[in-house]
Amino acid sequence: MTNEMLEAALRYAKKGYEVFPLRKLSKVPATPNGYLDASAVQEVVRAWWKDNPEYGIGLRIPEGMVVVDLDTDGEVSLKAYGRVLTDTAKSKSNRGHHYFYHLPEGFAKDTKKRKVGYLPDVDILVNGYVVAPPTTHYVSGKPYQWEVELEDRNIEEAPLWVWMSLEEEAKHDEWANDEHFIERIPVG
């Protein structure tokens, strides 16, 4: 009998993606430090899944990459706000899709803010992690699947609105900590 999760985790690691185990039928990491323990070292990956073939796969979002996470009505929200996603590497979950994009060259490397709830059912994720195929979804019992495989040749640059939303938040954070900005906020 083959260990499907181990084989998939090793394929991600071979491509240079850092992975870590998720508890069975859960998005919860099975390692002490969560996604911070992620590794692309084959021996480490093999040890995690060897005795725990039921573990799912967490994929650490690499620096320079962004994932747009659409849930049930995410496409409706994008359309309502005039946002369009371009073709790129894409996985399907029980409730939606993960779109994987590169951030443009020179984009602020210190962007650490995930934009959860950017729009209804639309999250913009940097840093952190996502659940990777073929992990079994914890509610539906169906596996996550690739619709467009996670290969460098399939990953496009993020649409302008995606990376601008991350940049705007970074600027907003700078302003929020600026004494002169705070002094200009009206009282009341």
Side-chain angles (χ1 to χ4, degrees):
M1 181 175 165
T2 64
N3 183 334
E4 180 184 18
M5 293 301 161
L6 171 60
E7 290 174 8
L10 288 170
R11 280 194 304 274
Y12 292 126
K14 188 175 182 179
K15 294 177 188 178
Y17 292 103
E18 295 181 338
V19 295
F20 62 98
L22 301 174
R23 296 178 197 268
K24 182 179 179 181
L25 296 177
S26 172
K27 293 182 177 183
V28 176
T31 59
N33 300 304
Y35 78 92
L36 298 176
D37 289 329
S39 178
V41 176
Q42 299 275 316
E43 294 77 24
V44 172
V45 172
R46 194 177 308 284
W48 280 328
W49 275 274
K50 182 182 177 208
D51 296 324
N52 299 288
E54 73 284 355
Y55 279 165
I57 301 170
L59 181 95
R60 185 174 186 164
I61 300 170
E63 184 176 305
M65 187 176 280
V66 60
V67 176
V68 179
D69 180 1
L70 298 186
D71 285 332
T72 308
D73 292 325
E75 292 196 22
V76 173
S77 293
L78 291 177
K79 188 173 183 179
Y81 287 88
R83 304 289 193 258
V84 176
L85 291 175
T86 54
D87 290 338
T88 191
K90 176 172 69 168
S91 66
K92 180 173 178 36
S93 71
N94 181 55
R95 299 184 333 153
H97 292 89
H98 292 148
Y99 290 76
F100 293 77
Y101 292 103
H102 288 296
L103 290 167
E105 283 291 321
F107 185 79
K109 299 290 185 197
D110 61 348
T111 300
K112 294 182 176 30
K113 300 289 183 188
R114 296 165 70 93
K115 304 273 296 214
V116 175
Y118 171 72
L119 295 173
D121 283 342
V122 179
D123 301 328
I124 300 174
L125 310 174
V126 290
N127 300 316
Y129 69 97
V130 295
V131 178
T135 300
T136 301
H137 191 272
Y138 65 100
V139 174
S140 71
K142 296 178 183 175
Y144 285 71
Q145 300 174 1
W146 288 109
E147 290 188 353
V148 179
E149 193 70 31
L150 186 64
E151 300 280 349
D152 282 342
R153 69 179 182 274
N154 296 335
I155 304 170
E156 299 298 325
E157 186 172 294
L160 178 66
W161 68 267
V162 171
W163 57 270
M164 289 299 292
S165 69
L166 294 168
E167 201 165 71
E168 286 170 9
E169 176 146 331
K171 287 180 183 174
H172 176 269
D173 288 348
E174 290 172 17
W175 296 337
N177 293 320
D178 182 345
E179 288 180 32
H180 299 289
F181 177 75
I182 294 169
E183 289 172 3
R184 292 190 301 259
I185 299 174
V187 177

